[in-house]
């Protein structure tokens, strides 16, 4: 359904209203939807409902959409991110019908008489304009899943402790069928039963190794300050990850979705030996970087690869030994490890870490570490939101164009406000 010019103007005129009442609308929407359609509790992230992150994200999305109603191209990256996540959760067209009904209903409940028939009709058309765009894109994504169009049972074949906080889970398909390859940097969704909540919950975890035909590896961080027995634990973003650590054992079965995500390196396109790759991460943001590194090394890539990583301590840093061994055995790979609080009794500067600091671009060699001498260099950044913002800003200040910087934004998948 295309909007008329008049409807475009009406939707744009609601921007101030959404700025003032957007959160009230989306909170009403989720509360009513999940009360009256409880099966959708198996789809939505409970923690993001409890802490209002999901409502805030949707409010921001509505605001951005209304602001760009006649320039949807500006929202393309954010829409692609949402479509990728929807595909990984197997969102279906019927879900859009339910969401549209309850969203317009919530607008009416919050805005009252201000939601005139003309405004309601315009927003109905606007909703379906975006919904149809997303449904079409998600159908295209499903076409590339090799027939894997629903949750699939995987067994936890092995759990390997990578650091004090991060454990790798090796997942093998129960049906024994060969696994499709993925693009390093992408994620899978893991769906598991949570008896305390009385419904299923899914979380997205980056794949942390090169593609293999019989196993996927994800490396999950445990929030060491959280106990799953605490009454407020269910609202914590790390609740399901801690359940994976504490409750899930080797041999247990979880459900897994086909790999997805718009953050990746495509080895088929990015194999030019003259195109350096710089991988910058902090904390558990190391996981997709290891997948990219291992994929390139496995393909015997001759590209310059710079691996830059920061951790709070060497004990919390995952894959430290693997990174050191890779750097030592591959002359095209350099490593720069930042440790904020090294152990002065056991950690050796120059071996266990290079810098006693947070990741700081100014401390790195502009050519050897950041590859600023090559205008083709591609940069991949993953870590906490504040970290990624600082790295992107710092790289652009050094002359790197924004389009050469890819960032993996975890979380609710919202369209950012202008």
């Amino acid at each position: 359904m295309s909007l008329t010019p008049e409807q475009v103007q009406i939707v744009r005129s609601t921007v101030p209203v959404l700025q003032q009442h957007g959160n009230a609308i989306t909170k009403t929407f989720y509360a009513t939807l999940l009360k009256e359609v409880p099966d959708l509790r198996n789809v939505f992230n409970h923690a993001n409902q409890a802490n209002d992150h999901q409502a805030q994200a949707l409010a921001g999305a509505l605001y951005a959409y209304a602001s760009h109603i006649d320039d949807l191209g500006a929202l393309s990256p954010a829409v692609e991110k949402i479509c990728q996540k929807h595909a990984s959760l197997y969102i279906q067209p019927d879900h859009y019908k339910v969401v549209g009904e309850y969203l317009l209903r919530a607008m009416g409940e919050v805005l009252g008489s201000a939601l005139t028939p003309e405004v309601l009709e315009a927003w109905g058309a606007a909703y379906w304009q975006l919904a149809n765009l997303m449904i079409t894109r998600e159908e295209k994504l499903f076409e590339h899943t090799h027939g894997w169009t629903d949750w699939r049972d995987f067994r936890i074949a092995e759990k390997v402790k990578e650091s004090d906080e991060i454990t790798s889970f090796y997942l093998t398909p129960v049906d024994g069928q060969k696994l499709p390859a993925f693009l390093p940097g992408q994620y899978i969704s893991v769906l598991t039963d949570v008896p305390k909540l009385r419904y299923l919950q899914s979380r997205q975890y980056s794949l942390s190794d090169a593609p293999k035909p019989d196993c996927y590896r994800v490396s999950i961080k445990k929030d060491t300050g959280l106990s799953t027995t605490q009454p407020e634990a269910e609202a914590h973003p790390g609740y399901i990850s801690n359940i994976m650590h504490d409750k899930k054992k080797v041999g247990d079965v979880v459900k897994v979705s086909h790999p997805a995500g718009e953050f990746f390196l495509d080895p088929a396109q990015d194999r030019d030996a003259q195109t350096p790759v710089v991988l910058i991460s902090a904390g558990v943001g190391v996981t997709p970087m290891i997948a990219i590194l291992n994929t390139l090394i496995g393909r015997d890539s001759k590209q310059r690869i710079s691996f830059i990583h920061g951790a709070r301590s060497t004990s919390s840093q995952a894959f430290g030994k693997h990174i050191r061994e890779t750097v030592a055995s591959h002359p095209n790979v350099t490593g720069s490890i930042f440790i904020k609080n090294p152990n002065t009794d056991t950690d050796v500067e120059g071996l266990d870490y290079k810098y006693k600091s947070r990741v700081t671009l100014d401390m790195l060699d502009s050519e050897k570490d950041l590859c600023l001498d090559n205008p083709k260099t591609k940069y991949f950044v993953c870590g906490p939101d504040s970290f990624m913002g600082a790295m992107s800003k710092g790289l652009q200040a050094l002359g790197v164009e924004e389009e050469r910087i890819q960032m993996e934004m975890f979380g609710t998948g919202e369209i950012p406000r202008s």
Side-chain angles (χ1 to χ4, degrees):
M1 178 186 292
S2 298
L3 277 73
T4 66
E6 292 77 14
Q7 288 174 329
V8 169
Q9 292 299 325
I10 289 172
V11 171
R12 189 188 292 111
S13 73
T14 63
V15 168
V17 177
L18 292 172
Q19 189 171 28
Q20 182 178 357
H21 300 289
N23 283 344
I25 291 170
T26 55
K27 288 178 71 172
T28 299
F29 158 72
Y30 281 117
T32 307
L33 175 70
L34 295 179
K35 179 181 178 180
E36 297 185 6
V37 192
D39 284 352
L40 288 180
R41 292 182 181 273
N42 295 312
V43 175
F44 288 104
N45 181 314
H46 174 78
N48 286 336
Q49 292 297 322
N51 57 32
D52 282 340
H53 288 179
Q54 193 72 58
Q56 293 169 16
L58 180 56
L62 292 174
Y63 177 90
Y65 182 46
S67 300
H68 295 88
I69 192 64
D70 55 353
D71 181 24
L72 295 185
L75 303 178
S76 293
V79 171
E80 176 65 14
K81 174 182 172 64
I82 296 172
C83 288
Q84 291 280 348
K85 187 168 183 180
H86 282 182
S88 80
L89 297 172
Y90 300 113
I91 299 300
Q92 301 298 317
D94 284 347
H95 289 127
Y96 282 95
K97 295 178 183 178
V98 175
V99 167
E101 174 189 340
Y102 278 85
L103 181 59
L104 294 175
R105 178 173 153 186
M107 285 183 169
E109 290 181 21
V110 173
L111 301 179
S113 60
L115 189 72
T116 65
E118 293 77 17
V119 174
L120 178 62
E121 183 180 12
W123 259 105
Y127 173 80
W128 279 108
Q129 173 181 267
L130 181 59
N132 287 328
L133 184 154
M134 297 175 74
I135 289 170
T136 300
R137 174 56 181 153
E138 288 156 23
E139 288 175 345
K140 288 291 184 183
L141 292 174
F142 288 136
E143 290 176 4
H144 297 283
T145 60
H146 310 276
W148 183 351
T149 58
D150 202 351
W151 296 101
R152 189 170 166 187
D153 287 341
F154 275 63
R155 182 168 285 108
I156 300 173
E158 190 177 3
K159 290 174 66 174
V160 176
K161 191 175 178 66
E162 307 288 0
S163 76
D164 287 352
E165 300 176 344
I166 297 174
T167 292
S168 287
F169 292 71
Y170 290 76
L171 306 174
T172 58
V174 171
D175 60 20
Q177 297 297 309
K178 181 180 177 181
L179 295 174
F182 56 88
L183 295 171
Q186 291 189 308
Y187 57 79
I188 56 174
S189 290
V190 176
L191 182 71
T192 186
D193 181 44
V194 184
K196 186 177 180 181
L197 297 178
R198 299 188 298 281
Y199 47 84
L200 302 171
Q201 283 287 277
S202 62
R203 295 294 185 271
Q204 289 71 49
Y205 298 112
S206 296
L207 290 150
S208 63
D209 201 357
K212 292 180 172 58
D214 59 348
C215 179
Y216 285 155
R217 184 178 79 176
V218 293
S219 302
I220 302 174
K221 178 183 177 182
K222 178 179 181 180
D223 192 311
T224 56
L226 173 69
S227 169
T228 55
T229 62
Q230 295 171 338
E232 67 276 12
E234 301 161 25
H236 194 285
Y239 179 59
I240 301 302
S241 293
N242 276 25
I243 285 178
M244 291 292 294
H245 273 260
D246 298 341
K247 305 295 184 182
K248 297 302 177 183
K249 301 178 177 63
V250 172
D252 286 353
V253 173
V254 295
K255 293 185 180 295
V256 171
S257 70
H258 188 280
E262 78 293 352
F263 175 86
F264 57 79
L265 178 143
D266 187 343
Q269 295 183 3
D270 298 323
R271 60 186 176 187
D272 182 356
Q274 303 305 312
T275 302
V277 175
V278 177
L279 308 174
I280 307 174
S281 62
V284 76
V286 71
T287 53
M289 305 309 187
I290 291 293
I292 293 173
L293 175 68
N294 289 358
T295 300
L296 292 174
I297 294 303
R299 295 171 68 94
D300 196 26
S301 171
K302 304 304 180 185
Q303 295 165 269
R304 292 161 59 191
I305 305 169
S306 176
F307 198 98
I308 301 164
H309 178 65
R312 188 177 61 258
S313 63
T314 52
S315 62
S316 66
Q317 182 203 356
F319 306 110
K321 181 181 178 183
H322 175 69
I323 295 167
R324 291 192 296 270
E325 290 177 346
T326 301
V327 170
S329 59
H330 294 81
N332 61 316
V333 182
T334 60
S336 302
I337 303 301
F338 290 75
I339 298 296
K340 182 182 176 184
N341 299 310
N343 187 320
T344 56
D345 295 328
T346 59
D347 295 341
V348 179
E349 184 176 359
L351 177 63
D352 298 302
Y353 66 96
K354 190 171 183 179
Y355 302 103
K356 179 183 177 181
S357 169
R358 291 188 174 93
V359 176
T360 305
L361 298 182
D362 292 344
M363 299 174 73
L364 296 165
D365 185 278
S366 62
E367 294 186 10
K368 179 183 176 183
D369 300 322
L370 294 176
C371 304
L372 294 173
D373 55 315
N374 191 320
K376 294 183 178 180
T377 301
K378 294 189 176 183
Y379 300 83
F380 296 82
V381 185
C382 188
D385 289 352
S386 58
F387 169 82
M388 289 189 290
M391 292 300 106
S392 178
K393 182 178 179 181
L395 288 170
Q396 290 181 64
L398 293 171
V400 179
E401 298 87 354
E402 187 175 6
E403 56 267 25
R404 287 196 285 140
I405 305 170
Q406 283 200 54
M407 294 188 291
E408 174 63 298
M409 304 293 288
F410 298 126
T412 48
E414 68 272 18
I415 298 173
R417 287 180 183 270
S418 301

